Amino acid sequence: MGAKVIPVIGIRKRSSKKQRAIEILVRLKRLYPDATCSLNYASPVQLLVATILSAQCTDERVNQVTPALFNKFPDAASLANADLAELENLVRSTGFYRNKAKNIKSACQTIVSEFGSQVPKRMEDLLKLSGVARKTANVVLSHAYGINSGVTVDTHVQRLSQRLGLTEHSAPIRIERDLMSLLPQPDWENWSIRLIYHGRAICKARSPACEACELSDLCPSSVVTSD
């Protein structure tokens, strides 16, 4: 007989959403013990810029672009005074380069004029910067300053959180609130990083590898094959 696709029934049917979230977190830590931010940077402002560039672009591509960019403009002051056309040319291959260059220059001008050339450490201040929403602010606060103010929600985190049944929302801010209520605050950022790793390796957008997924018994969206 041919293989039949059946839903997995297991822990996910017997436990609360919060219990499942914690168990998923435990397994992600085991699966990706060394997971960390994959953007290359040497300072908070470089992380901020790299994260702005990563919008709708791979981290790999950003890491190819930033060495030349940071060699020419290593800090907030130099970026604030950069020639916009030169900045555009340096970040062109990341896509949407005009907007990104404009936002980077404007954000760094604000950092210089309002924050003493230092990237601020408060969410409300980061959100004043051009091109910075909660996703970018969460990355900067967590990885530059060790401050977990929220959960970073990118496309991987959004897709997997929905598939895992941890949120019914599609708006990033509402997904973030749901995840913050389910996870311990110290794990908010490493949850996102590890979920991103899992999204790249296993739970891909078009062809999730449910048969190879070590979260399948916790996932309402998972299917397995049975002879």
Side-chain angles (χ1 to χ4, degrees):
M1 295 179 64
K4 181 174 67 174
V5 177
I6 59 173
V8 175
I9 301 175
I11 296 173
R12 68 174 184 268
K13 293 293 186 181
R14 303 194 303 267
S15 59
S16 72
K17 187 181 292 186
K18 189 159 191 171
Q19 287 173 320
R20 284 194 299 109
I22 297 300
E23 178 59 25
I24 290 166
L25 175 64
V26 168
R27 295 189 194 183
L28 289 172
K29 287 182 176 181
R30 186 181 71 242
L31 289 168
Y32 310 103
D34 301 318
T36 188
C37 178
S38 52
L39 295 169
N40 296 332
Y41 62 95
S43 66
V45 72
Q46 291 187 4
L47 176 58
L48 175 71
V49 169
T51 308
I52 290 173
L53 292 175
S54 71
Q56 296 181 288
C57 179
T58 65
D59 290 354
E60 182 181 11
R61 168 59 63 182
V62 173
N63 288 337
Q64 292 171 0
V65 166
T66 50
L69 174 65
F70 295 149
N71 183 59
K72 181 73 174 180
F73 305 111
D75 52 29
S78 58
L79 285 161
N81 292 305
D83 177 75
L84 189 57
E86 185 176 9
L87 204 53
E88 289 176 355
N89 188 55
L90 285 166
V91 305
R92 182 181 296 268
S93 65
T94 66
F96 304 96
Y97 65 94
R98 288 193 177 91
N99 247 5
K100 290 179 179 180
K102 180 181 177 182
N103 284 334
I104 288 168
K105 182 177 173 71
S106 176
C108 287
Q109 288 174 334
T110 302
I111 289 169
V112 170
S113 64
E114 296 188 22
F115 300 107
S117 297
Q118 301 299 313
V119 175
K121 297 182 179 182
R122 299 194 309 166
M123 174 66 72
E124 55 265 43
D125 291 332
L126 283 166
L127 295 178
K128 296 176 183 178
L129 305 178
S130 298
V132 176
R134 286 191 62 90
K135 172 190 165 184
T136 296
N138 279 325
V139 170
V140 171
L141 287 171
S142 178
H143 295 285
Y145 296 128
I147 299 170
N148 287 312
S149 288
V151 178
T152 300
V153 178
D154 75 344
T155 54
H156 292 292
V157 174
Q158 177 176 352
R159 180 177 72 254
L160 270 67
S161 296
Q162 290 168 338
R163 285 179 176 173
L164 289 163
L166 301 179
T167 184
E168 297 178 353
H169 299 298
S170 57
I173 184 63
R174 300 190 73 179
I175 294 172
E176 182 181 5
R177 288 172 185 160
D178 285 345
L179 295 175
M180 288 167 68
S181 72
L182 297 173
L183 300 162
Q185 185 171 357
D187 291 302
W188 283 351
E189 183 60 21
N190 67 48
W191 162 272
S192 295
I193 294 294
R194 290 180 168 93
L195 212 59
I196 290 168
Y197 273 55
H198 196 66
R200 290 172 177 165
I202 301 293
C203 195
K204 299 179 180 181
R206 295 186 179 179
S207 54
C210 295
E211 295 86 353
C213 182
E214 295 195 35
L215 306 179
S216 61
D217 61 308
L218 299 167
C219 179
S221 304
S222 177
V223 294
V224 293
T225 58
S226 176
D227 292 332

